[in-house]
Amino acid sequence: MLRRAIDLFNQRGYDATSIADLAQSLGVTKSAIFHHVASKEELLAAALDEALTGLTAAIESAAARHDGASAAQRLRGTVEESVRILAAHLPAVTLLLRVRGNSPVEQDALRRRRVVDESLARLVREAASEGDLRADVDPDVISRLLFGTVNSLVEWYDPAGPVDPDALAHTVTALAFEGLTPR
Amino acid sequence: MLRRAIDLFNQRGYDATSIADLAQSLGVTKSAIFHHVASKEELLAAALDEALTGLTAAIESAAARHDGASAAQRLRGTVEESVRILAAHLPAVTLLLRVRGNSPVEQDALRRRRVVDESLARLVREAASEGDLRADVDPDVISRLLFGTVNSLVEWYDPAGPVDPDALAHTVTALAFEGLTPR
């Protein structure tokens, strides 16, 4: 039911989708749905939580590594893992990226997204201060570009298509860290 | 008037914005607006044309260079110029990126966008076949990532903020072509 709800929210927009639409799409009655969830907002909260739990875990596990990895290595791991999360939870992440803060549930999701963004920005600044990022670019712009590049995947990536998540994660990190020009 | 129309379309959505809203926002009468344009759609067409003319020119002038530049150099020039166009026409490009093809005007804009996308993809493949792009990544994924990275700028870039368009263009091409890791 959550899968179908996320798909409808993405296709028609959250506001334009009713529990009646969801019931019709699943071929069940509205009361069958209300047997499982109290409101449409509960479905939205579950969907956003799915996306945010994965992204938060990706950045926290990278930040918590105690294997002597440099900030740049942890940053690279975070970007790679974020791509995998996005590929594995594409509909939920797509929904998350469209949230504009129109309700307490959406505002809470935006707050959690900002925590993830700030952790990544911190990692970028740490890598820069360790001398592992080129010095002629602004670390804050870099964090924006890294997230922008990863997030832009929702516009075209098809998990059922020819590019598998590992190849995708490799290509994104290769582009960002070594660049397209052969070394 | 076009500036204000683009801002309203971006804030409220094209469908949700009426000529009456635009008139009110400008402090003029509806008939004053109809003195200049025949319909709301004409304003949308002008806005999308503004964005597409710039992006098309960026890629065409790069493709038409006869100075012996390699495909990789022309690709880099195109990416750099696209960032500048985006910074100079941010509201119009933002509107363009949200177009979903709901009318003939939108479908025409999507067609012109596809032509730009295909020219960039061709340039990427040409650069790959000249050996100027690393061989372990798929050129088609690279074109998507390049456009995704550039387009993601509309989510956060503020032309009135501290990052000037030249620095932005430099950072995007530096990330994409040489990568973040110091060489």
Side-chain angles (χ1 to χ4, degrees):
Chain A
M1 181 171 68
L2 182 59
R3 297 302 108 211
R4 188 68 63 91
I6 294 174
D7 287 344
L8 288 179
F9 294 162
N10 280 329
Q11 280 160 27
R12 306 182 188 180
Y14 173 72
D15 293 326
T17 306
S18 66
I19 289 285
D21 295 331
L22 177 60
Q24 196 189 14
S25 164
L26 289 166
V28 301
T29 61
K30 274 171 65 173
S31 58
I33 293 192
F34 284 121
H35 186 71
H36 295 283
V37 292
S39 65
K40 186 173 84 159
E41 199 156 48
E42 201 177 302
L43 286 165
L44 178 65
L48 297 177
D49 185 61
E50 176 188 322
L52 283 159
T53 299
L55 293 171
T56 304
I59 192 128
E60 281 182 355
S61 71
R65 270 169 70 176
H66 289 297
D67 53 2
S70 67
Q73 285 165 328
R74 284 178 286 138
L75 176 64
R76 190 180 183 125
T78 304
V79 171
E80 216 170 309
E81 188 59 18
S82 301
V83 174
R84 288 213 185 82
I85 299 288
L86 184 138
H89 302 275
L90 194 69
V93 176
T94 303
L95 190 61
L96 174 66
L97 294 177
R98 292 184 187 164
V99 154
R100 290 287 170 259
N102 300 330
S103 66
V105 164
E106 296 197 3
Q107 283 153 23
D108 183 57
L110 288 183
R111 245 190 314 274
R112 290 176 66 190
R113 233 189 107 179
R114 264 197 304 277
V115 172
V116 173
D117 287 357
E118 278 158 19
S119 302
L120 187 95
R122 219 165 19 241
L123 215 44
V124 171
R125 285 193 294 267
E126 212 179 316
S129 75
E130 289 176 5
D132 286 336
L133 294 190
R134 52 191 295 167
D136 62 339
V137 292
D138 177 345
D140 289 336
V141 176
I142 289 301
S143 334
R144 300 281 204 168
L145 288 178
L146 284 176
F147 258 121
T149 305
V150 173
N151 292 344
S152 73
L153 299 175
V154 304
E155 299 293 334
W156 65 271
Y157 183 64
D158 174 9
V163 182
D164 76 57
D166 288 336
L168 187 67
H170 169 73
T171 305
V172 172
T173 47
L175 175 125
F177 290 89
E178 287 100 38
L180 295 176
T181 312
R183 291 201 170 211
Chain B
M1 182 171 68
L2 183 59
R3 299 301 107 212
R4 188 68 64 92
I6 294 175
D7 287 344
L8 287 179
F9 295 162
N10 279 330
Q11 279 161 28
R12 306 182 187 181
Y14 173 71
D15 293 326
T17 307
S18 66
I19 289 285
D21 295 332
L22 177 60
Q24 196 188 13
S25 164
L26 289 165
V28 302
T29 61
K30 273 169 66 172
S31 58
I33 294 195
F34 283 122
H35 187 71
H36 295 282
V37 292
S39 64
K40 186 173 83 159
E41 198 156 49
E42 200 176 303
L43 286 165
L44 178 65
L48 298 177
D49 185 62
E50 175 187 324
L52 282 160
T53 299
L55 292 172
T56 305
I59 192 129
E60 280 181 355
S61 72
R65 270 169 70 175
H66 289 296
D67 54 1
S70 66
Q73 285 164 329
R74 283 178 286 138
L75 177 63
R76 190 182 184 121
T78 305
V79 171
E80 216 170 308
E81 188 59 19
S82 301
V83 174
R84 288 212 185 84
I85 299 288
L86 184 138
H89 302 273
L90 194 70
V93 176
T94 303
L95 191 62
L96 173 67
L97 294 177
R98 291 184 186 163
V99 153
R100 289 288 170 258
N102 299 330
S103 66
V105 164
E106 296 198 2
Q107 283 154 23
D108 183 56
L110 287 183
R111 245 189 314 275
R112 290 175 66 189
R113 232 190 108 178
R114 263 198 304 278
V115 172
V116 173
D117 287 356
E118 279 158 20
S119 301
L120 186 94
R122 223 169 11 247
L123 214 44
V124 171
R125 284 193 295 267
E126 211 179 317
S129 76
E130 289 177 5
D132 286 336
L133 296 190
R134 50 191 294 165
D136 62 338
V137 293
D138 177 345
D140 290 335
V141 176
I142 289 303
S143 335
R144 302 281 204 167
L145 289 178
L146 285 176
F147 258 122
T149 305
V150 173
N151 292 344
S152 73
L153 300 175
V154 304
E155 299 293 334
W156 65 271
Y157 183 64
D158 174 9
V163 182
D164 76 58
D166 288 336
L168 187 67
H170 169 74
T171 305
V172 172
T173 48
L175 175 125
F177 290 90
E178 287 100 39
L180 295 176
T181 311
R183 293 206 167 205

